[in-house]
Short mmCIF file of all heavy atoms in Angstrom, two decimals:
data_model
loop_
_atom_site.label_atom_id
_atom_site.label_comp_id
_atom_site.label_asym_id
_atom_site.label_seq_id
_atom_site.Cartn_x
_atom_site.Cartn_y
_atom_site.Cartn_z
N ARG A 18 16.81 31.53 -19.24
CA ARG A 18 15.89 31.99 -18.20
C ARG A 18 16.14 33.43 -17.75
O ARG A 18 17.27 33.84 -17.51
CB ARG A 18 15.99 31.08 -16.98
CG ARG A 18 15.60 29.64 -17.26
CD ARG A 18 15.26 28.92 -16.00
NE ARG A 18 16.17 29.28 -14.91
CZ ARG A 18 15.94 28.96 -13.65
NH1 ARG A 18 14.85 28.28 -13.33
NH2 ARG A 18 16.80 29.30 -12.71
N ASP A 21 17.67 34.00 -14.00
CA ASP A 21 19.04 33.63 -13.61
C ASP A 21 19.90 34.79 -13.11
O ASP A 21 20.68 34.63 -12.17
CB ASP A 21 19.76 32.99 -14.81
CG ASP A 21 19.21 31.62 -15.15
OD1 ASP A 21 18.31 31.15 -14.42
OD2 ASP A 21 19.67 31.01 -16.13
N LEU A 25 22.40 34.51 -9.93
CA LEU A 25 23.83 34.33 -10.15
C LEU A 25 24.66 35.43 -9.49
O LEU A 25 25.85 35.28 -9.27
CB LEU A 25 24.12 34.31 -11.66
CG LEU A 25 23.70 33.03 -12.37
CD1 LEU A 25 23.61 33.25 -13.87
CD2 LEU A 25 24.68 31.90 -12.06
N ARG A 26 24.02 36.53 -9.18
CA ARG A 26 24.73 37.62 -8.52
C ARG A 26 24.57 37.58 -7.00
O ARG A 26 25.00 38.49 -6.30
CB ARG A 26 24.20 38.97 -9.01
CG ARG A 26 24.51 39.29 -10.45
CD ARG A 26 23.83 40.58 -10.87
NE ARG A 26 23.94 40.74 -12.30
CZ ARG A 26 24.97 41.33 -12.91
NH1 ARG A 26 25.96 41.82 -12.20
NH2 ARG A 26 25.01 41.43 -14.22
N GLU A 28 21.70 37.90 -5.67
CA GLU A 28 20.62 38.84 -5.36
C GLU A 28 19.27 38.16 -5.31
O GLU A 28 18.23 38.78 -5.50
CB GLU A 28 20.62 39.98 -6.39
CG GLU A 28 21.82 40.90 -6.21
CD GLU A 28 22.02 41.88 -7.37
OE1 GLU A 28 21.19 41.91 -8.28
OE2 GLU A 28 23.04 42.60 -7.33
N ASP A 33 15.01 33.92 4.10
CA ASP A 33 15.98 34.40 5.08
C ASP A 33 16.79 35.58 4.57
O ASP A 33 17.59 36.15 5.29
CB ASP A 33 16.91 33.25 5.50
CG ASP A 33 17.70 33.60 6.76
OD1 ASP A 33 17.09 34.17 7.68
OD2 ASP A 33 18.91 33.32 6.81
N ASP A 34 16.59 35.95 3.30
CA ASP A 34 17.34 37.07 2.75
C ASP A 34 16.60 38.39 2.93
O ASP A 34 17.16 39.46 2.68
CB ASP A 34 17.59 36.87 1.24
CG ASP A 34 18.37 35.60 0.95
OD1 ASP A 34 18.98 35.04 1.87
OD2 ASP A 34 18.33 35.16 -0.21
N TYR A 134 19.79 32.60 18.03
CA TYR A 134 20.73 32.11 19.02
C TYR A 134 20.08 32.11 20.40
O TYR A 134 20.16 31.14 21.15
CB TYR A 134 21.99 32.99 19.04
CG TYR A 134 22.90 32.85 17.84
CD1 TYR A 134 22.52 33.33 16.59
CD2 TYR A 134 24.16 32.25 17.96
CE1 TYR A 134 23.36 33.23 15.48
CE2 TYR A 134 25.00 32.14 16.85
CZ TYR A 134 24.60 32.63 15.62
OH TYR A 134 25.42 32.52 14.52
N LEU A 135 19.44 33.22 20.71
CA LEU A 135 18.80 33.33 22.03
C LEU A 135 17.60 32.40 22.14
O LEU A 135 17.34 31.82 23.20
CB LEU A 135 18.35 34.78 22.27
CG LEU A 135 19.49 35.75 22.52
CD1 LEU A 135 18.97 37.18 22.52
CD2 LEU A 135 20.16 35.44 23.86
N ASP A 138 18.88 29.15 23.00
CA ASP A 138 19.28 29.12 24.42
C ASP A 138 18.06 28.83 25.29
O ASP A 138 18.11 28.03 26.22
CB ASP A 138 19.85 30.48 24.86
CG ASP A 138 21.24 30.74 24.30
OD1 ASP A 138 21.87 29.77 23.82
OD2 ASP A 138 21.69 31.90 24.35
N VAL A 207 13.05 11.41 1.38
CA VAL A 207 12.44 12.73 1.58
C VAL A 207 12.89 13.76 0.55
O VAL A 207 13.90 13.59 -0.12
CB VAL A 207 12.74 13.26 3.00
CG1 VAL A 207 12.09 12.38 4.04
CG2 VAL A 207 14.23 13.35 3.27
N ALA A 208 12.14 14.84 0.49
CA ALA A 208 12.34 15.86 -0.54
C ALA A 208 13.70 16.56 -0.41
O ALA A 208 14.37 16.80 -1.40
CB ALA A 208 11.23 16.90 -0.47
N SER A 209 14.07 16.92 0.80
CA SER A 209 15.34 17.63 1.04
C SER A 209 15.62 18.78 0.08
O SER A 209 16.67 18.79 -0.56
CB SER A 209 16.53 16.66 0.94
OG SER A 209 16.35 15.57 1.76
N VAL A 261 12.14 30.58 -3.91
CA VAL A 261 12.03 29.34 -3.16
C VAL A 261 13.16 28.40 -3.57
O VAL A 261 13.36 28.15 -4.75
CB VAL A 261 10.66 28.66 -3.41
CG1 VAL A 261 10.56 27.36 -2.64
CG2 VAL A 261 9.52 29.60 -3.04
N ARG A 295 18.43 22.19 9.04
CA ARG A 295 18.46 20.90 8.34
C ARG A 295 18.08 19.74 9.24
O ARG A 295 17.39 18.80 8.82
CB ARG A 295 19.86 20.68 7.73
CG ARG A 295 19.97 19.43 6.88
CD ARG A 295 18.96 19.39 5.74
NE ARG A 295 19.07 20.54 4.86
CZ ARG A 295 18.25 20.75 3.85
NH1 ARG A 295 17.26 19.92 3.55
NH2 ARG A 295 18.40 21.83 3.10
N TYR A 377 5.67 13.93 -2.12
CA TYR A 377 7.01 14.34 -2.53
C TYR A 377 7.11 13.95 -3.99
O TYR A 377 6.71 12.83 -4.36
CB TYR A 377 8.07 13.65 -1.65
CG TYR A 377 9.47 13.57 -2.24
CD1 TYR A 377 10.00 14.62 -2.97
CD2 TYR A 377 10.26 12.44 -2.05
CE1 TYR A 377 11.27 14.54 -3.51
CE2 TYR A 377 11.54 12.35 -2.58
CZ TYR A 377 12.03 13.41 -3.32
OH TYR A 377 13.29 13.32 -3.85
N GLY A 508 11.84 27.06 -8.79
CA GLY A 508 13.02 26.77 -9.60
C GLY A 508 12.66 26.25 -10.99
O GLY A 508 13.52 25.99 -11.80
N ASP A 657 26.53 2.66 -16.46
CA ASP A 657 27.22 2.84 -17.73
C ASP A 657 26.44 3.73 -18.68
O ASP A 657 27.02 4.39 -19.53
CB ASP A 657 27.47 1.48 -18.41
CG ASP A 657 28.51 0.66 -17.64
OD1 ASP A 657 29.33 1.27 -16.93
OD2 ASP A 657 28.46 -0.58 -17.73
N GLN A 672 14.79 23.47 -23.08
CA GLN A 672 15.91 23.43 -22.12
C GLN A 672 15.38 23.28 -20.70
O GLN A 672 15.89 22.48 -19.90
CB GLN A 672 16.74 24.72 -22.25
CG GLN A 672 18.05 24.66 -21.51
CD GLN A 672 18.83 25.98 -21.59
OE1 GLN A 672 18.27 27.06 -21.46
NE2 GLN A 672 20.13 25.89 -21.80
N ALA A 676 15.66 19.90 -18.26
CA ALA A 676 16.29 20.03 -16.95
C ALA A 676 15.37 19.52 -15.84
O ALA A 676 15.84 19.01 -14.82
CB ALA A 676 16.67 21.48 -16.70
N GLN A 677 14.06 19.66 -16.05
CA GLN A 677 13.12 19.10 -15.07
C GLN A 677 13.24 17.58 -15.03
O GLN A 677 13.22 16.96 -13.98
CB GLN A 677 11.68 19.50 -15.40
CG GLN A 677 11.34 20.93 -15.06
CD GLN A 677 11.45 21.20 -13.57
OE1 GLN A 677 10.95 20.45 -12.75
NE2 GLN A 677 12.15 22.27 -13.22
N GLY A 680 16.61 16.67 -13.38
CA GLY A 680 16.57 16.93 -11.94
C GLY A 680 15.74 15.88 -11.21
O GLY A 680 16.11 15.40 -10.14
N GLN A 684 16.76 12.81 -8.34
CA GLN A 684 16.10 12.52 -7.07
C GLN A 684 15.68 11.06 -6.99
O GLN A 684 15.74 10.43 -5.94
CB GLN A 684 14.90 13.45 -6.86
CG GLN A 684 15.37 14.89 -6.70
CD GLN A 684 14.29 15.84 -6.21
OE1 GLN A 684 13.15 15.44 -5.96
NE2 GLN A 684 14.65 17.10 -6.07
N GLU A 692 19.42 7.16 -0.60
CA GLU A 692 18.63 7.84 0.41
C GLU A 692 17.72 6.90 1.19
O GLU A 692 17.00 6.10 0.62
CB GLU A 692 17.76 8.92 -0.27
CG GLU A 692 18.56 9.99 -0.95
CD GLU A 692 17.68 11.03 -1.62
OE1 GLU A 692 16.67 11.43 -1.01
OE2 GLU A 692 18.00 11.44 -2.74
N PRO A 713 22.54 12.35 -3.69
CA PRO A 713 23.45 12.22 -4.83
C PRO A 713 24.33 13.47 -4.96
O PRO A 713 23.88 14.57 -4.63
CB PRO A 713 22.52 12.14 -6.04
CG PRO A 713 21.16 11.87 -5.50
CD PRO A 713 21.13 12.36 -4.10
N THR A 714 25.54 13.28 -5.41
CA THR A 714 26.42 14.41 -5.72
C THR A 714 26.73 14.38 -7.22
O THR A 714 26.32 13.44 -7.91
CB THR A 714 27.74 14.32 -4.96
OG1 THR A 714 28.41 13.12 -5.36
CG2 THR A 714 27.52 14.28 -3.45
N ALA A 715 27.47 15.38 -7.66
CA ALA A 715 27.80 15.45 -9.09
C ALA A 715 28.47 14.17 -9.56
O ALA A 715 28.18 13.65 -10.64
CB ALA A 715 28.70 16.65 -9.36
N GLY A 716 29.37 13.63 -8.73
CA GLY A 716 30.11 12.45 -9.12
C GLY A 716 29.26 11.20 -9.24
O GLY A 716 29.62 10.25 -9.94
N MET A 718 26.19 11.17 -10.44
CA MET A 718 25.17 11.30 -11.47
C MET A 718 25.70 10.96 -12.84
O MET A 718 26.68 11.53 -13.31
CB MET A 718 24.68 12.76 -11.52
CG MET A 718 23.44 13.03 -10.72
SD MET A 718 22.05 12.00 -11.19
CE MET A 718 21.55 12.73 -12.76
N LEU B 14 21.28 43.97 21.74
CA LEU B 14 21.12 43.09 22.89
C LEU B 14 22.44 42.52 23.36
O LEU B 14 23.28 42.13 22.59
CB LEU B 14 20.23 41.95 22.45
CG LEU B 14 19.67 41.15 23.59
CD1 LEU B 14 18.53 41.90 24.23
CD2 LEU B 14 19.21 39.81 23.06
N ARG B 39 30.26 33.28 19.59
CA ARG B 39 29.61 32.15 18.92
C ARG B 39 28.95 32.52 17.60
O ARG B 39 28.35 31.65 16.96
CB ARG B 39 28.57 31.56 19.85
CG ARG B 39 27.42 32.51 20.17
CD ARG B 39 26.40 31.76 20.99
NE ARG B 39 25.32 32.62 21.43
CZ ARG B 39 24.26 32.17 22.06
NH1 ARG B 39 24.17 30.88 22.35
NH2 ARG B 39 23.31 32.98 22.43
N LEU B 41 28.31 32.71 13.99
CA LEU B 41 28.87 32.03 12.83
C LEU B 41 29.24 33.05 11.76
O LEU B 41 28.56 34.07 11.60
CB LEU B 41 27.86 31.03 12.24
CG LEU B 41 27.48 29.85 13.12
CD1 LEU B 41 26.40 29.01 12.42
CD2 LEU B 41 28.69 28.98 13.42
N ASP B 44 26.41 33.81 9.40
CA ASP B 44 25.39 34.70 9.96
C ASP B 44 25.90 36.14 10.00
O ASP B 44 25.14 37.09 9.79
CB ASP B 44 24.98 34.24 11.37
CG ASP B 44 24.13 32.97 11.33
OD1 ASP B 44 23.64 32.63 10.24
OD2 ASP B 44 23.96 32.33 12.38
N ARG B 47 25.64 37.40 6.39
CA ARG B 47 24.26 37.52 5.91
C ARG B 47 23.48 38.57 6.70
O ARG B 47 22.82 39.42 6.12
CB ARG B 47 23.54 36.18 6.02
CG ARG B 47 24.04 35.10 5.07
CD ARG B 47 23.29 33.79 5.29
NE ARG B 47 21.86 34.06 5.34
CZ ARG B 47 21.12 34.28 4.25
NH1 ARG B 47 21.65 34.20 3.07
NH2 ARG B 47 19.83 34.56 4.38
N HIS B 48 23.56 38.46 8.01
CA HIS B 48 22.65 39.27 8.81
C HIS B 48 23.26 40.58 9.27
O HIS B 48 22.56 41.56 9.48
CB HIS B 48 22.12 38.46 9.99
CG HIS B 48 21.37 37.24 9.56
ND1 HIS B 48 21.39 36.04 10.25
CD2 HIS B 48 20.59 37.03 8.47
CE1 HIS B 48 20.66 35.16 9.60
NE2 HIS B 48 20.16 35.72 8.53
N THR B 53 23.50 38.64 1.62
CA THR B 53 22.67 37.44 1.75
C THR B 53 22.85 36.45 0.60
O THR B 53 22.17 35.44 0.56
CB THR B 53 21.19 37.82 1.86
OG1 THR B 53 20.88 38.66 0.74
CG2 THR B 53 20.91 38.59 3.14
N GLY B 54 23.77 36.74 -0.30
CA GLY B 54 23.99 35.81 -1.41
C GLY B 54 24.54 34.47 -0.96
O GLY B 54 24.31 33.44 -1.58
N HIS B 56 24.39 31.29 1.09
CA HIS B 56 23.19 30.65 1.66
C HIS B 56 23.52 29.57 2.69
O HIS B 56 24.62 29.02 2.70
CB HIS B 56 22.35 30.03 0.54
CG HIS B 56 21.80 31.06 -0.39
ND1 HIS B 56 21.57 30.83 -1.71
CD2 HIS B 56 21.44 32.35 -0.18
CE1 HIS B 56 21.09 31.92 -2.28
NE2 HIS B 56 21.01 32.86 -1.38
N GLY B 58 22.37 25.94 3.85
CA GLY B 58 21.55 24.79 3.50
C GLY B 58 21.55 23.71 4.55
O GLY B 58 20.66 22.86 4.59
N GLN B 61 25.83 22.27 8.74
CA GLN B 61 26.52 21.07 9.21
C GLN B 61 27.77 20.81 8.39
O GLN B 61 28.40 19.78 8.52
CB GLN B 61 25.58 19.86 9.12
CG GLN B 61 24.36 19.97 10.03
CD GLN B 61 23.25 19.01 9.63
OE1 GLN B 61 23.22 18.48 8.53
NE2 GLN B 61 22.33 18.78 10.56
N SER B 63 27.98 20.12 5.23
CA SER B 63 27.94 19.09 4.19
C SER B 63 27.28 19.51 2.87
O SER B 63 27.37 18.75 1.91
CB SER B 63 27.29 17.81 4.72
OG SER B 63 26.23 18.12 5.56
N ALA B 98 30.56 39.70 -9.72
CA ALA B 98 30.20 40.66 -10.77
C ALA B 98 29.50 41.81 -10.07
O ALA B 98 28.32 41.73 -9.79
CB ALA B 98 29.28 40.01 -11.80
N SER B 100 27.44 44.96 -9.00
CA SER B 100 26.16 45.42 -9.53
C SER B 100 26.36 46.24 -10.79
O SER B 100 27.19 47.13 -10.81
CB SER B 100 25.43 46.26 -8.49
OG SER B 100 24.58 45.44 -7.76
N ALA B 102 27.77 45.49 -13.48
CA ALA B 102 28.75 44.89 -14.39
C ALA B 102 28.17 43.62 -14.99
O ALA B 102 27.30 42.99 -14.39
CB ALA B 102 30.03 44.58 -13.63
N GLN B 108 29.62 32.68 -14.30
CA GLN B 108 28.19 32.97 -14.12
C GLN B 108 27.46 32.85 -15.46
O GLN B 108 26.36 32.28 -15.55
CB GLN B 108 28.01 34.38 -13.56
CG GLN B 108 28.47 34.54 -12.11
CD GLN B 108 28.55 36.01 -11.70
OE1 GLN B 108 29.13 36.82 -12.41
NE2 GLN B 108 27.99 36.33 -10.54
N HIS B 112 24.37 30.38 -16.76
CA HIS B 112 23.16 30.89 -17.39
C HIS B 112 22.90 30.17 -18.71
O HIS B 112 21.82 29.63 -18.93
CB HIS B 112 23.31 32.40 -17.61
CG HIS B 112 22.18 33.04 -18.34
ND1 HIS B 112 20.87 32.95 -17.91
CD2 HIS B 112 22.16 33.80 -19.47
CE1 HIS B 112 20.09 33.61 -18.75
NE2 HIS B 112 20.85 34.13 -19.70
N THR B 113 23.90 30.13 -19.60
CA THR B 113 23.62 29.57 -20.92
C THR B 113 23.43 28.06 -20.88
O THR B 113 22.67 27.51 -21.66
CB THR B 113 24.74 29.91 -21.94
OG1 THR B 113 25.99 29.50 -21.37
CG2 THR B 113 24.79 31.39 -22.21
N HIS B 115 22.03 26.48 -18.46
CA HIS B 115 20.91 26.21 -17.54
C HIS B 115 21.40 25.39 -16.33
O HIS B 115 20.84 24.37 -15.98
CB HIS B 115 19.78 25.49 -18.27
CG HIS B 115 18.49 25.39 -17.49
ND1 HIS B 115 18.19 26.22 -16.42
CD2 HIS B 115 17.43 24.57 -17.64
CE1 HIS B 115 17.01 25.89 -15.94
NE2 HIS B 115 16.52 24.90 -16.67
N LEU B 117 21.31 26.18 -13.28
CA LEU B 117 20.64 26.45 -12.01
C LEU B 117 19.14 26.39 -12.22
O LEU B 117 18.64 26.71 -13.30
CB LEU B 117 21.02 27.82 -11.45
CG LEU B 117 20.60 29.08 -12.23
CD1 LEU B 117 20.48 30.27 -11.29
CD2 LEU B 117 21.60 29.36 -13.31
N GLN B 118 18.45 25.92 -11.20
CA GLN B 118 16.99 25.97 -11.23
C GLN B 118 16.51 26.93 -10.14
O GLN B 118 16.27 28.09 -10.40
CB GLN B 118 16.40 24.57 -11.12
CG GLN B 118 16.65 23.77 -12.41
CD GLN B 118 16.00 22.41 -12.43
OE1 GLN B 118 15.06 22.12 -11.71
NE2 GLN B 118 16.50 21.53 -13.29
N CYS B 119 16.45 26.46 -8.90
CA CYS B 119 16.01 27.39 -7.85
C CYS B 119 17.10 28.40 -7.52
O CYS B 119 16.83 29.47 -7.00
CB CYS B 119 15.58 26.64 -6.60
SG CYS B 119 16.94 26.00 -5.59
N PHE B 121 19.39 28.24 -5.28
CA PHE B 121 19.79 28.34 -3.87
C PHE B 121 21.22 27.84 -3.65
O PHE B 121 21.98 28.40 -2.88
CB PHE B 121 18.81 27.54 -3.00
CG PHE B 121 18.97 27.82 -1.53
CD1 PHE B 121 18.44 28.97 -0.96
CD2 PHE B 121 19.66 26.94 -0.71
CE1 PHE B 121 18.60 29.24 0.39
CE2 PHE B 121 19.82 27.19 0.65
CZ PHE B 121 19.29 28.35 1.20
N ASP B 149 31.87 17.80 -6.27
CA ASP B 149 31.37 16.84 -5.31
C ASP B 149 31.20 17.42 -3.91
O ASP B 149 30.54 16.83 -3.06
CB ASP B 149 32.29 15.61 -5.25
CG ASP B 149 31.74 14.46 -6.07
OD1 ASP B 149 30.58 14.57 -6.50
OD2 ASP B 149 32.46 13.47 -6.27
N ARG B 154 19.89 20.07 -5.27
CA ARG B 154 18.77 19.14 -5.27
C ARG B 154 17.91 19.28 -6.52
O ARG B 154 17.04 18.46 -6.75
CB ARG B 154 17.93 19.38 -4.01
CG ARG B 154 16.92 18.31 -3.68
CD ARG B 154 17.51 16.91 -3.59
NE ARG B 154 16.64 16.00 -2.85
CZ ARG B 154 16.77 14.69 -2.86
NH1 ARG B 154 17.74 14.13 -3.56
NH2 ARG B 154 15.96 13.93 -2.15
N CYS B 155 18.15 20.33 -7.31
CA CYS B 155 17.26 20.58 -8.44
C CYS B 155 17.79 20.06 -9.78
O CYS B 155 17.05 19.48 -10.55
CB CYS B 155 17.02 22.08 -8.63
SG CYS B 155 16.26 22.91 -7.23
N GLY B 157 20.23 17.95 -10.88
CA GLY B 157 20.82 16.67 -11.23
C GLY B 157 22.23 16.83 -11.75
O GLY B 157 22.79 15.90 -12.32
N TYR B 158 22.80 17.99 -11.56
CA TYR B 158 24.22 18.28 -11.79
C TYR B 158 24.66 18.30 -13.26
O TYR B 158 25.71 18.85 -13.57
CB TYR B 158 25.14 17.30 -11.03
CG TYR B 158 24.88 17.26 -9.54
CD1 TYR B 158 24.19 16.19 -8.97
CD2 TYR B 158 25.31 18.29 -8.70
CE1 TYR B 158 23.96 16.14 -7.60
CE2 TYR B 158 25.07 18.24 -7.33
CZ TYR B 158 24.40 17.16 -6.80
OH TYR B 158 24.16 17.11 -5.44
N LYS B 162 27.77 20.55 -14.46
CA LYS B 162 29.03 20.04 -14.99
C LYS B 162 29.34 20.70 -16.33
O LYS B 162 30.46 21.12 -16.59
CB LYS B 162 28.97 18.51 -15.18
CG LYS B 162 29.00 17.74 -13.87
CD LYS B 162 29.16 16.25 -14.16
CE LYS B 162 28.12 15.43 -13.41
NZ LYS B 162 28.22 14.00 -13.66
N ARG B 178 30.36 12.69 -16.55
CA ARG B 178 30.97 11.35 -16.47
C ARG B 178 32.48 11.37 -16.62
O ARG B 178 33.10 12.23 -17.21
CB ARG B 178 30.29 10.40 -17.42
CG ARG B 178 31.15 10.01 -18.62
CD ARG B 178 30.63 8.87 -19.42
NE ARG B 178 29.19 8.86 -19.57
CZ ARG B 178 28.55 7.76 -19.87
NH1 ARG B 178 29.17 6.63 -19.90
NH2 ARG B 178 27.27 7.77 -20.09
#
Side-chain angles (χ1 to χ4, degrees):
Chain A
R18 298 199 320 168
D21 290 357
L25 286 162
R26 292 175 190 272
E28 289 169 4
D33 195 42
D34 301 343
Y134 288 71
L135 289 171
D138 286 346
V207 295
S209 307
V261 180
R295 185 57 57 184
Y377 159 38
D657 290 336
Q672 191 183 43
Q677 284 297 313
Q684 294 192 0
E692 298 179 42
T714 62
M718 264 303 286
Chain B
L14 196 77
R39 65 175 175 174
L41 295 177
D44 287 345
R47 292 178 48 78
H48 300 145
T53 53
H56 295 149
Q61 296 163 342
S63 39
S100 267
Q108 290 168 312
H112 176 56
T113 53
H115 191 19
L117 65 155
Q118 289 185 20
C119 76
F121 192 79
D149 261 350
R154 194 54 161 165
C155 299
Y158 304 104
K162 288 189 230 179
R178 109 168 39 201

